[in-house]
Amino acid sequence: MTEESGVFLPGNHEAEMCYGGEADLHKHVTGCMKNPGHKGFIPLKDFNTMYLPSRYHDDLVFETIKTLAALTVQVKTKFTSLKRPEFYLGTQVPYPCYNDRGSHVMRLGTGKVCFVSTENDRTCHCAKCQVSATPSIVWGKVCVVTATHVVFDDSEARQTRCVLGFDDNKSPVVSLDGGEMWRKADIERDLCLLSYVTCDLKLIDELDKMCRRFEDLCREVRDKYWRFDDVDKLTVIVSHPHGCPKQVSVGQWTHKRERDYRYSKYTRYWYTTCTCPGSSGAHVYRLGYNRWPYPQPHSGSNSEGNYSGEDWN
């Protein structure tokens, strides 16, 4: 693809495929060809501001990245839709997992909780309440953003688990099961919005506070560092490479391309920030650039580098 052509050709997707189940993961980590040794990844428990340029050595930036990490989830899908297309629209580039249609091959990616809502219009229909004689009358929905090639439609969403809190191998985790599409996934922009039901009101409250805090922090970082957004181009990703506990990677965005669609302008970014299979769907955070934390998931890599899906504004 050339700058003049304006035609985007997808490269390699970065969902982790486990044809032998989760037992495959250790083999994938040790045999990784993209990032042998994984030196560009920092375990979340070890991350501190010393991994950032000196300009960003402050508590505000640290809290922003830690809050992003707290909202980051592992996405585990155990079904591949029969409706996946053979090719990306308008190309002869194979669409991910087309040959796996109808199978129960495990696929791992990353996502981010972007907002929650509380409901009381009917009784809760989470798995626990469906078999309870007294289902909860107050419940909530958790919205998770990931990449469309990780979760394609409702048939996949229903068999997709989102795991919160997987910070290290000893961390207590919370799982959300049986999702549905909040809105139809967007293949071209590689954006997928999932919805999960839960009557765990403590979890809903915690996630709501974290989502609001992340929005506030993004504004504060933007107000403080907007002068350097096109100078440092600092880009941070928190993901679950190869299904591992959360890892932080730090790099720079290198270039972007914009596409006009109706009354909107969508932007895709390329960056040096490390990713691996399993990183697909992770939130791409550009420090000092995002005044609002629009979901922009990691999508894949091609000859130009690692790239995002198009932003959803």
Side-chain angles (χ1 to χ4, degrees):
M1 180 180 72
T2 65
E3 182 75 36
E4 291 74 24
S5 72
V7 177
F8 169 69
L9 291 179
N12 297 318
H13 73 86
E14 293 199 327
E16 181 72 276
M17 306 301 298
C18 301
Y19 291 95
E22 293 193 52
D24 273 356
L25 292 178
H26 178 71
K27 179 177 65 177
H28 292 169
V29 172
T30 57
C32 178
M33 299 298 291
K34 184 180 182 185
N35 290 307
H38 297 98
K39 295 180 180 179
F41 291 104
I42 309 153
L44 179 60
K45 62 182 177 63
D46 297 333
F47 178 76
N48 59 61
T49 55
M50 297 306 294
Y51 288 98
L52 302 171
S54 58
R55 196 195 316 277
Y56 301 93
H57 289 183
D58 69 35
D59 292 340
L60 173 62
V61 172
F62 182 71
E63 184 184 355
T64 303
I65 296 172
K66 293 289 282 190
T67 304
L68 169 60
L71 293 169
T72 298
V73 303
Q74 183 187 51
V75 179
K76 304 172 73 170
T77 305
K78 294 187 177 181
F79 182 69
T80 303
S81 173
L82 294 168
K83 296 181 180 180
R84 285 197 173 226
E86 185 173 4
F87 302 107
Y88 282 96
L89 183 65
T91 77
Q92 291 298 303
V93 178
Y95 192 74
C97 307
Y98 173 79
N99 292 330
D100 295 319
R101 291 173 304 154
S103 75
H104 291 271
V105 173
M106 179 177 288
R107 185 169 55 255
L108 298 177
T110 303
K112 173 186 168 288
V113 176
C114 61
F115 62 87
V116 299
S117 66
T118 303
E119 312 285 341
N120 58 10
D121 58 335
R122 56 192 173 108
T123 57
C124 180
H125 54 285
C126 71
K128 182 178 71 174
C129 285
Q130 286 183 35
V131 296
S132 171
T134 56
S136 178
I137 59 173
V138 181
W139 48 283
K141 289 183 179 180
V142 179
C143 177
V144 173
V145 175
T146 186
T148 298
H149 70 265
V150 177
V151 184
F152 184 78
D153 62 12
D154 269 320
S155 68
E156 295 185 1
R158 285 190 291 269
Q159 298 192 52
T160 295
R161 168 176 290 179
C162 286
V163 182
L164 296 85
F166 186 25
D167 296 350
D168 58 50
N169 286 318
K170 296 181 179 179
S171 298
V173 300
V174 175
S175 296
L176 299 172
D177 291 290
E180 59 184 22
M181 306 302 285
W182 189 289
R183 58 182 290 179
K184 185 178 179 180
D186 192 322
I187 298 175
E188 190 169 11
R189 296 164 69 190
D190 205 17
L191 288 163
C192 170
L193 205 59
L194 298 170
S195 172
Y196 288 86
V197 171
T198 178
C199 57
D200 185 342
L201 298 183
K202 181 180 178 182
L203 176 65
I204 289 290
D205 183 60
E206 290 175 351
L207 291 176
D208 183 53
K209 288 177 179 177
M210 279 194 287
C211 288
R212 295 175 187 275
R213 182 57 180 154
F214 185 59
E215 291 179 5
D216 291 341
L217 288 166
C218 284
R219 295 189 198 101
E220 291 178 38
V221 171
R222 168 63 176 165
D223 291 344
K224 184 172 183 177
Y225 291 105
W226 65 269
R227 301 183 307 281
F228 311 115
D229 53 7
D230 285 334
V231 177
D232 299 322
K233 299 182 176 181
L234 192 61
T235 305
V236 175
I237 294 175
V238 182
S239 70
H240 290 277
H242 304 293
C244 293
K246 291 173 191 172
Q247 307 284 312
V248 182
S249 49
V250 179
Q252 294 177 302
W253 64 268
T254 57
H255 59 290
K256 61 183 178 181
R257 289 193 175 85
E258 296 179 333
R259 177 173 66 92
D260 292 319
Y261 180 72
R262 295 181 180 174
Y263 302 106
S264 298
K265 188 181 293 291
Y266 301 138
T267 309
R268 187 185 308 274
Y269 285 84
W270 277 259
Y271 33 85
T272 62
T273 315
C274 283
T275 61
C276 265
S279 296
S280 277
H283 184 92
V284 179
Y285 178 53
R286 291 167 286 116
L287 270 77
Y289 200 87
N290 306 69
R291 182 174 179 85
W292 301 96
Y294 294 127
Q296 189 164 32
H298 173 64
S299 187
S301 63
N302 60 15
S303 60
E304 299 180 77
N306 296 327
Y307 61 85
S308 70
E310 291 178 328
D311 51 7
W312 203 339
N313 53 22

